[in-house]
Each structure stands twice: as structure tokens, then as C-alpha cells.
Amino acid sequence: MTHPRSIVFLTDYGLADEFVGICHGVMARIAPEAKVIDLTHAITRQDVLQGALVLARAGPYLPDRAVYVAVVDPGVGSDRRAIAVETGSGAVLVGPDNGLLSMAWEALGGARRAFEITAESLMLPTLSKTFHGRDVFTPLAAHLAAGVSIEDVGPQIDVADLEVVELPAPMVAPGKVGARVVAVDGFGNVQLNVRPEDIQRAGLGDRLSVHGRSAPRVSVFADLHEHALGVIVDSQGYVALVVNQGSAAELLELRPGGTVVIE
Amino acid sequence: MTHPRSIVFLTDYGLADEFVGICHGVMARIAPEAKVIDLTHAITRQDVLQGALVLARAGPYLPDRAVYVAVVDPGVGSDRRAIAVETGSGAVLVGPDNGLLSMAWEALGGARRAFEITAESLMLPTLSKTFHGRDVFTPLAAHLAAGVSIEDVGPQIDVADLEVVELPAPMVAPGKVGARVVAVDGFGNVQLNVRPEDIQRAGLGDRLSVHGRSAPRVSVFADLHEHALGVIVDSQGYVALVVNQGSAAELLELRPGGTVVIE
Amino acid sequence: MTHPRSIVFLTDYGLADEFVGICHGVMARIAPEAKVIDLTHAITRQDVLQGALVLARAGPYLPDRAVYVAVVDPGVGSDRRAIAVETGSGAVLVGPDNGLLSMAWEALGGARRAFEITAESLMLPTLSKTFHGRDVFTPLAAHLAAGVSIEDVGPQIDVADLEVVELPAPMVAPGKVGARVVAVDGFGNVQLNVRPEDIQRAGLGDRLSVHGRSAPRVSVFADLHEHALGVIVDSQGYVALVVNQGSAAELLELRPGGTVVIE
């Protein structure tokens, strides 16, 4: 293979420290020709579910057969396993075995084979107890991108034994959908764990309300008056609460993990 | 052409979400060899004028014949047009037709030809109403960088019909310059819409004052006492209020869009 | 040389402005093929010691023979020199002569030769008094990465005359180590200027206390109860105060430069 595979990199490290830069250095040493795409480093600290969601939804927009390396890892240094998972689509996912990768492999054709990462020759000699992003995960991803076989990272393990995380489903009743806030973006748009078909199953139409406020269903922001609340289907196909030229999260005082009832 | 053109990428998306990373993925799928330069993603949300200024001033420092893709787009999903503009210098600008690109084409040799982006084959099939950065603008920029002709993006339109934005001029009177705050940088330096020649036209010398405070005109920070206010010509040729080892914006309580009188 | 050298880029510019993006543009114009690794741009404004520490510790994780360009430069525009330093390991360091580079050359085999940067042909014609990152340092780094000889940047200077910065040593007494906070990372972990051997020299064991609170020495976060304070050796080999699933910096109200006594 002439060209190395692309690497997709997601963490909760933030950009206030040099952690992400150090990992880029590590990958550049091992696979200097590989393109590294920073998906995001702003996952809420140790929020494995949020990381899993972002990773899974990004798949269609990322290079095929990429090597994904994701680190949201509250259990670093404990006995949680480090894993590499090959998906049905030919991508490889690298990270801790805490469910972080599980939604992504579902979105990428399923987990075809999984391996526990144990080969010390593919890790850094500085192997620390606290920074496996630098010492275990990104070096391994770079080796895989550069052509190392997934079979060389360690013993194969049963995909049925891997940890998974799941998004709770909304509660749908006649005239009501009980929803959970999945994410709030930088514009204050509130993404819910609700699909348009859930609204329909509840028998609701376009005249919705949230917390006693009118929230008409619209197709674009510009259909709302300035500063008015509305419901749209967002760019990922989920129902979201939005305010035209404003923040729905602020207006409704909602944060990720919060609950809301659409009526 | 062996090498793809470079892509310059500016938005108001911020880095707290994965939006920028997703767009990088989209571009890497279409033009894997193109270098993408993140000019900034920290434009104040929906501040088209600020985005236009940053884009226009950056030109001399960016690769020639780059494809610029800029997204500050309060009208996303409305009937505002999506455009690609070829400049006199050979650059191409891609973004919404809301004036965001207008100062850049002036700085890059003028708008030679403009096209409305309508070719769905150059967009993503997921075409959403809210995320045209992902679905329209960055895929188009990547196609152009990879060699697609600007004539293939859609019908040619009259450059005279394009939206433009303009920086208001300062008010110059004998002994006074009424200025507007164009930008505040991370160090607290306050850039004004004032050129050194405006100071001269007002008949002012080097002993200036602002809000009743002495603000001598100096050529470098180090000419000021520590924590002292002064006036310099900044790295873009504009008059700026600065504090040595401190923040002029905090001292004078100034924000972008605010006004100030230099005497 | 077929391939340009990699460039490592560190500043205190932050990402709220376009400064970093502009510098990337400058480097892409001069050395389009060079890989640029953003080590971090979040050094505390004008904190030369912090920048020096981050740069020095990153070396083992960055490409060999890289060109480092670092800008934390309170004296910009004054008569402080701009320098390029060749290290024993074959790396080159570019930046202001204020000590910022000094810990890095120690870590990279010592300063073999140093040159003052005076060649205007290697700077930008827009040479400003305030933005030497754009006009002097990054263009020079890109020219060096592209193959220009360090001997062409200006006159050779005596390495013994270069400015240096040093980390103060901890105060070690029987039963006590007086420490300084070197850094607080985004997780709230507090890195001290203390090595494990300092703890040992003080005759302290694993049952430590800090500010009257019990802080057992553990090897991984997971050895601590949730929200409990502890002492670990961090991924750089330094003693750090940590809280499992929490912020030691918040708990103890500590900031970089602060002091703490371990007993």
C-alpha cells in the first residue's frame, strides 16, 4: 500500500494543554505520511456516552477505511482493556474497552474482529499509568495506519464480550414525548434523543409546546421570528429545540443529560 | 495539475463541537491531498462583518490561488444564495452571498466572475437545512481544490448583484477622531477603524488621549511603562489602543462595535 | 533532501484570534510540503517559563531533527534578539532570546551553535513591531524546514551569551517538601517541581498530607476513592496532586506559581 490510511482522532483532552499536540508528535514519528483529522477534543471530560455518539455519527463524513483513535477513559490505569476493533466497513477503531467505540462499530458495519492491545513493541517505552493516549492508543493507531496488521496488536478476543453503551430511548405516550438532552452545541441548539417518527407515534403535529412555551415545528431557522423557540430536525436527523438567533439551551435552562417533555 | 490547491477555512463554528472536524473529514474524502489551513473558527457567532474583515486581511499571508471557504451564515436554510467567486488574483471564494466574501475579493484583485452553487452532484446527499458548511460549502471547496472547474458549480451570476459589507469610516474633525472598535484580540488590544493618516488629518500629534486618559503614540509596546495605555499602529496598519503587559479592552471597557474618541 | 523537515509550533496566541492561522498560511507559502505540528497555543500569555517547560518535555514525542518555532515574547519590538539554535540532536530552535528555548536545547543535546536572525530576505516585507511570529519567526522556521542553512540566517553568536530560564528546585527538609506548582492541566491535576526522589530525601513514605488533608501516594487514579485526593507520579515523571474524578486545583485552590507543602 503506497498511501497510509487516514487517522481520525477524538478525545476529551481539550486544547488548553499540550496533550493533543504531543499525540500528534507521536503519530508523526511513526506514520509521518498519514493524514490526521481532529474530529474533536472537546468531549465533556470522561463523558463516554457523548464521545460514543459523536464518533458514531461522524462516520459517513470521514474517509473510508480510516483508523479511528478515541480516548475518553475514566478507567485509565485500571484493568480495563485496550482494544482494536475491525469493522464490517473496513475501518479500525482503537481505544479503551469502555463502550466508547461501540456505537461507531455499529454504524460502520458491525464489529468483525476484536483484539486486546498487549504488544509492547507497538507502545511507547515511557508507558505511563495516566496517559495511554500518548503511550498506547495513538502509537498503535499510527502503526496500523502505516501498515501493521491488526493481528499483531495482541490476542483476539470475543466481540460479544466488549463493553457497549446505549442511548436511552424516549418515552412516547399519546400526546407526549419524554425526551433526554443528548447534546447542546455551541449555538445553544438542544439535540434530543428523539426521531421525527417518535413525534408522529405520539400523535403530535406541528404545533408543539415545551415547558409550556409554544414551539412550532419548522424546517429552517429562518421560518421562526427572531428569538422565537422552535422544533427542527437537525443535520443528524434528530429532533432539536432551537431559537432563531439565540440559544434554546439558555432559554429553557437545559444541559446534556437533562429531560424535557414535548407536548 | 499535479498538486491540488490549498484550502483556507474560516467559520464561526468554534471548537467546542465536532462541526469543524466533520468538515475536515468531508474535505479529506473529496480532496485527500489538499492542504487545509484553518484560518480561524472563532469568528463571533453570526458576525458577518468580522468574518469579512479577517478574511480580507489574511490574504497576503495565505497561499496564492487558494480556495477559500468561509461560513458565517445567519441566513442558512433561507433563500440566500450560495456562491463561488473567482478573483483577479486567481483565488476562489466559496460561501454564502451575505457579504462575508466581499472584502476578500476586493483585497484579491476584485470579483472577476461569480457563480451560484446549484450542482447537487457537488454537494453531499445528506443535504440538510442547517449545516451547509458540511453539505454544500466544504464539499464544493474540496471539489474545486481537486480540479473541478468553477463553471461547473452552477449558473454564472452578475458580480454587481452580489451582497457586500463595508467598514464604516471614522469621523475626523479638527482635534478629534471618532472611531469604532473593529476587533479586540486575545491580548486585549483594541483595533480601531482608523488609519495613521486619519490621526494626521485631525491635526493630532503624538500626545493623544482617550476617555480622558493620556495615551501617547508609541511605536512598540516596550516604549510604554508597564500597565500604561498607548496608541500604536498594529501589524495590519490600523491604529490600536494597547496596554503594555495588560488589556486595553478591560481598562477602557471596550468591545467590538463600541465607539471611542481620540483627542 | 527530498522531504522538508517537520515544524513544531508553540505560542501563547490562543485560538480566539486568527494569529495561529495566519502563521500557518505564512509557513504554507514558504514550505508547502512541511508538516506543521501544533504543540500548543495555550501557553499562559507571556509566561516564558511555562513555554520553556512544555517545549523541553515534549522533545521525546516529536519528530527527530524537527524545526521548533516558539513564540512567547513579552519583549517583542524591543532590542531582545531573535535567534536560531542548533542542538546536539540535530534539531533547530527558532524564537526570541528570552530563555524560552533554553530548556529545550538542554533536553535536545545542548546548544551546539547559535545565530542571530538578521537576514531580511528570510523575513516578511510587512515586518511589524508587534507580530514577529508572523513576520520573523514562522517564515524563518519554514525556510529552514525547506532547506535553507542555519548559517544564512545571520551572524553566529556565542551560546554562552544566550538567555536561560530555570525551574526553581523544591525545598527539601526532614519530613517536608516545599513545592511550587509548575502547571495545572485541564483535568485539574497539579504538577509540582518535585521528583519522587525528593519525597524520599525528605524521609516521607506513602502516607502524605497536603494542607492538612490526607493525600496517599498511589500509582493510578483508580486506586483512590471517587473525589479523594492523592499523590501520583505523572506521565512526565513529576509528582502531581490529583483527585479521582475531580480537580485537585479546585479542591486546594492552587494555580501555577503557587506554593504547597507536602508532609
Side-chain angles (χ1 to χ4, degrees):
Chain A
M1 199 169 58
T2 327
H3 262 75
R5 298 164 75 162
S6 294
I7 298 171
V8 173
F9 187 26
L10 170 147
T11 71
D12 65 350
Y13 291 161
L15 295 175
D17 304 295
E18 72 275 19
F19 303 151
V20 167
I22 294 280
C23 291
H24 275 269
V26 167
M27 292 187 278
R29 286 176 66 94
I30 296 169
E33 304 294 327
K35 183 189 273 278
V36 182
I37 296 171
D38 290 293
L39 180 51
T40 182
H41 299 291
I43 298 298
T44 303
R45 305 256 178 214
Q46 312 196 334
D47 188 337
V48 173
L49 178 61
Q50 188 194 358
L53 282 163
V54 169
L55 207 60
R57 292 174 183 178
Y61 306 104
L62 296 167
D64 294 328
R65 303 193 67 255
V67 177
Y68 290 69
V69 54
V71 192
V72 180
D73 191 12
V76 64
S78 72
D79 57 0
R80 68 98 188 88
R81 298 187 292 194
I83 54 172
V85 179
E86 186 184 76
T87 74
S89 73
V92 176
L93 312 175
V94 174
D97 181 19
N98 61 8
L100 176 64
L101 310 174
S102 62
M103 290 177 162
W105 73 61
E106 283 310 315
L108 292 165
R112 197 153 58 189
R113 295 189 296 167
F115 297 83
E116 183 172 0
I117 300 168
T118 58
E120 291 193 14
S121 63
L122 302 175
M123 302 176 190
L124 294 203
T126 49
L127 189 51
S128 68
K129 303 264 187 187
T130 55
F131 195 179
H132 285 191
R134 180 191 70 189
D135 298 331
V136 177
F137 298 122
T138 60
L140 191 89
H143 281 297
L144 292 172
V148 166
S149 166
I150 194 170
E151 295 167 9
D152 293 335
V153 312
Q156 189 164 357
I157 53 183
D158 190 336
V159 297
D161 289 345
L162 300 175
E163 294 290 324
V164 299
V165 289
E166 273 172 24
L167 187 63
M171 283 175 299
V172 178
K176 267 185 205 191
V177 177
R180 198 183 187 97
V181 177
V182 174
V184 173
D185 72 21
F187 293 85
N189 302 323
V190 176
Q191 189 181 59
L192 304 176
N193 63 337
V194 176
R195 295 281 191 176
E197 50 269 31
D198 298 317
I199 303 277
Q200 215 176 339
R201 274 170 51 218
L204 292 166
D206 287 349
R207 299 176 63 176
L208 304 171
S209 73
V210 175
H211 288 196
R213 288 171 188 274
S214 165
R217 182 158 167 194
V218 294
S219 66
V220 299
F221 282 78
D223 290 344
L224 292 168
H225 291 292
E226 211 164 302
H227 305 301
L229 179 70
V231 171
I232 64 165
V233 178
D234 72 10
S235 61
Q236 294 168 333
Y238 282 83
V239 169
L241 307 175
V242 303
V243 166
N244 189 14
Q245 317 250 354
S247 165
E250 270 180 31
L251 181 72
L252 301 169
E253 297 181 3
L254 288 173
R255 298 201 298 180
T259 57
V260 68
V261 178
I262 301 178
E263 293 173 294
Chain B
M1 199 167 60
T2 326
H3 263 75
R5 297 164 76 164
S6 294
I7 298 171
V8 173
F9 187 25
L10 169 146
T11 72
D12 65 350
Y13 291 161
L15 295 175
D17 304 294
E18 72 275 19
F19 302 151
V20 168
I22 294 281
C23 291
H24 275 270
V26 167
M27 293 186 279
R29 287 176 66 93
I30 296 169
E33 304 295 327
K35 182 188 272 279
V36 182
I37 297 171
D38 290 293
L39 180 51
T40 183
H41 298 290
I43 298 297
T44 303
R45 304 259 178 213
Q46 311 197 333
D47 187 337
V48 173
L49 178 61
Q50 188 194 357
L53 282 163
V54 169
L55 206 60
R57 291 173 183 178
Y61 306 104
L62 296 167
D64 294 328
R65 301 194 67 255
V67 177
Y68 290 70
V69 54
V71 192
V72 180
D73 192 12
V76 65
S78 72
D79 57 1
R80 69 98 188 88
R81 298 187 293 194
I83 54 172
V85 179
E86 186 184 76
T87 74
S89 72
V92 176
L93 312 175
V94 174
D97 181 20
N98 61 8
L100 176 64
L101 309 175
S102 62
M103 290 177 162
W105 71 62
E106 283 309 316
L108 293 165
R112 198 154 57 189
R113 295 190 295 167
F115 297 82
E116 184 172 0
I117 301 167
T118 59
E120 291 192 13
S121 63
L122 303 175
M123 302 176 190
L124 294 204
T126 50
L127 188 52
S128 69
K129 303 266 187 185
T130 55
F131 194 0
H132 284 191
R134 180 192 69 189
D135 298 331
V136 178
F137 298 121
T138 59
L140 192 89
H143 281 297
L144 292 172
V148 166
S149 165
I150 193 170
E151 295 166 10
D152 294 335
V153 312
Q156 188 163 357
I157 54 182
D158 190 336
V159 297
D161 290 344
L162 300 175
E163 295 290 324
V164 298
V165 289
E166 273 172 25
L167 188 63
M171 282 176 299
V172 178
K176 267 183 203 190
V177 176
R180 197 183 186 98
V181 176
V182 174
V184 172
D185 72 21
F187 293 85
N189 303 322
V190 176
Q191 188 180 60
L192 304 176
N193 63 339
V194 176
R195 295 282 191 175
E197 49 270 29
D198 298 317
I199 303 276
Q200 215 177 342
R201 274 170 51 218
L204 292 167
D206 287 349
R207 300 176 63 175
L208 304 171
S209 73
V210 174
H211 287 196
R213 287 170 189 274
S214 167
R217 182 159 166 192
V218 294
S219 65
V220 300
F221 282 78
D223 290 345
L224 292 167
H225 292 292
E226 212 164 301
H227 305 301
L229 179 69
V231 170
I232 65 164
V233 178
D234 73 10
S235 61
Q236 294 168 333
Y238 282 83
V239 169
L241 308 175
V242 303
V243 166
N244 188 14
Q245 317 249 354
S247 164
E250 269 181 32
L251 181 72
L252 300 169
E253 298 181 2
L254 288 173
R255 297 201 298 179
T259 56
V260 69
V261 177
I262 301 178
E263 293 173 294
Chain C
M1 199 167 60
T2 327
H3 263 73
R5 298 163 76 163
S6 294
I7 299 171
V8 172
F9 187 26
L10 169 146
T11 71
D12 64 351
Y13 291 161
L15 296 175
D17 304 294
E18 72 276 18
F19 302 151
V20 167
I22 294 280
C23 290
H24 275 269
V26 167
M27 292 186 278
R29 287 176 65 94
I30 295 169
E33 303 294 326
K35 183 189 273 280
V36 181
I37 296 172
D38 290 293
L39 180 51
T40 182
H41 298 291
I43 298 298
T44 304
R45 304 257 178 215
Q46 311 197 334
D47 187 337
V48 173
L49 178 60
Q50 188 194 358
L53 283 162
V54 169
L55 206 60
R57 292 173 182 177
Y61 307 103
L62 296 167
D64 294 328
R65 302 195 66 256
V67 177
Y68 290 69
V69 54
V71 192
V72 181
D73 191 13
V76 65
S78 72
D79 57 0
R80 69 98 188 88
R81 297 187 293 195
I83 54 172
V85 179
E86 187 184 77
T87 73
S89 73
V92 176
L93 312 175
V94 174
D97 181 21
N98 62 8
L100 176 64
L101 310 175
S102 62
M103 290 176 161
W105 73 60
E106 283 309 316
L108 293 166
R112 198 154 57 188
R113 294 190 296 167
F115 296 83
E116 183 172 0
I117 300 167
T118 59
E120 291 193 13
S121 63
L122 302 175
M123 303 177 190
L124 294 204
T126 49
L127 188 51
S128 68
K129 303 266 187 185
T130 54
F131 194 179
H132 284 191
R134 179 192 71 189
D135 298 331
V136 177
F137 298 121
T138 60
L140 192 88
H143 281 298
L144 292 172
V148 166
S149 166
I150 193 170
E151 295 168 9
D152 293 335
V153 312
Q156 189 163 356
I157 54 182
D158 190 336
V159 297
D161 289 343
L162 300 175
E163 296 289 324
V164 298
V165 290
E166 274 172 24
L167 188 63
M171 282 176 299
V172 179
K176 267 183 204 191
V177 177
R180 198 182 187 99
V181 176
V182 174
V184 173
D185 71 21
F187 293 84
N189 302 322
V190 176
Q191 189 180 59
L192 304 176
N193 64 337
V194 176
R195 295 281 191 176
E197 49 270 30
D198 298 317
I199 303 276
Q200 215 175 340
R201 274 169 52 217
L204 292 166
D206 286 349
R207 301 176 61 176
L208 304 171
S209 73
V210 174
H211 287 194
R213 287 169 188 275
S214 166
R217 182 158 165 192
V218 294
S219 65
V220 299
F221 281 80
D223 290 344
L224 293 167
H225 292 291
E226 212 164 302
H227 305 301
L229 179 70
V231 171
I232 64 165
V233 178
D234 72 10
S235 61
Q236 294 168 332
Y238 282 83
V239 169
L241 307 175
V242 303
V243 166
N244 189 13
Q245 318 250 355
S247 165
E250 269 180 32
L251 181 72
L252 301 168
E253 299 182 1
L254 288 174
R255 297 201 299 180
T259 56
V260 68
V261 177
I262 302 178
E263 293 174 293

